[in-house]
Amino acid sequence: MSNLTQNLPDDPARLKAMIAVLQAENAKISATLRVHDQLVQALRLRIAKLQKLAFGKSSEKIEREIEQLELALEDLLVAVAEEDGAPIDEGHNEPSPEAADAPALRRRPRVSDATPRERRELDPGTCCADCGGDLRVVGEDVSELLDMIAAQMKVIQIARIKKSCRRCERMVQEPAPSRPIPGSMAGPN
């Protein structure tokens, strides 16, 4: 306790200013924590409601939505744990009804560079479909798809090669393959 009092300023005005700064920082951290708690509670409430409906007419759709919400909850818990450095709390308390109005976070998952990657190229060919001229490479669009294979993940890079015809200058590229969940990075596995 004596070390703490030795570092305090003698001037009461400076002491009050330090206290005000610390209180403002504490209020900011408390507000962030409340928002995270509300998001966790909202996701838990939504999961609980969907689990009650799981045996209805469209149970397969509901099961997929439950899985997606559980993944979102897990991502949120990991993000909170990374910020706080505290262990992840996965308590299953009943959430409050007010938490259902909390905004949902949407972000791309971070995939480690150490995760194995497999590159698949979709090549439109060597001849132009319109005039039969030779095609040349002018670029490519690369998207990533996260796939789970035998309890191991790898990133499959889908490169769609862009080519242009030397004769008619037409641009050619294979269409992007469809995804199981539109707009997501998840693969079918």
Side-chain angles (χ1 to χ4, degrees):
M1 189 73 173
S2 63
N3 287 343
L4 184 62
T5 56
Q6 289 175 355
N7 294 335
L8 292 177
D10 294 332
D11 184 18
R14 287 186 64 202
L15 185 60
K16 287 182 181 179
M18 284 179 65
I19 290 172
V21 168
L22 290 173
Q23 286 175 338
E25 188 176 331
N26 189 17
K28 180 181 172 186
I29 291 171
S30 296
T32 302
L33 184 60
R34 279 193 302 273
V35 168
H36 284 295
D37 286 343
Q38 288 176 345
L39 288 172
V40 168
Q41 293 300 329
L43 288 171
R44 286 184 178 151
L45 178 65
R46 184 91 188 261
I47 289 169
K49 285 182 181 178
L50 289 171
Q51 284 174 335
K52 288 180 183 176
L53 298 173
F55 299 104
K57 293 179 188 174
S58 60
S59 62
E60 289 180 12
K61 290 180 185 177
I62 292 171
E63 287 173 8
R64 276 184 269 148
E65 190 170 345
I66 288 172
E67 290 171 4
Q68 290 300 313
L69 288 172
E70 286 173 341
L71 288 173
L73 178 61
E74 182 179 325
D75 286 345
L76 184 62
L77 289 172
V78 168
V80 169
E82 285 175 356
E83 286 178 10
D84 296 344
I88 298 175
D89 173 27
E90 292 188 12
H92 296 286
N93 300 337
E94 275 300 310
S96 62
E98 304 89 41
D101 298 331
L105 292 178
R106 183 177 173 102
R107 64 179 176 91
R108 286 263 184 212
R110 283 179 266 158
V111 180
S112 168
D113 291 336
T115 304
R117 283 174 160 67
E118 174 183 312
R119 182 176 169 95
R120 296 181 185 171
E121 291 185 357
L122 305 177
D123 194 339
T126 58
C127 297
C128 180
D130 289 346
C131 69
D134 292 334
L135 296 176
R136 67 176 183 256
V137 176
V138 293
E140 68 181 18
D141 294 328
V142 178
S143 61
E144 292 188 334
L145 180 73
L146 193 58
D147 205 4
M148 181 71 80
I149 298 174
Q152 109 186 36
M153 288 198 309
K154 72 176 175 181
V155 176
I156 299 171
Q157 294 180 331
I158 300 169
R160 298 184 307 129
I161 309 295
K162 292 182 192 177
K163 293 187 175 181
S164 70
C165 178
R166 292 186 188 274
R167 193 179 301 165
C168 69
E169 294 299 318
R170 178 175 180 254
M171 296 293 289
V172 182
Q173 185 177 35
E174 287 290 310
S178 65
R179 305 231 174 181
I181 303 168
S184 78
M185 207 176 161
N189 293 329

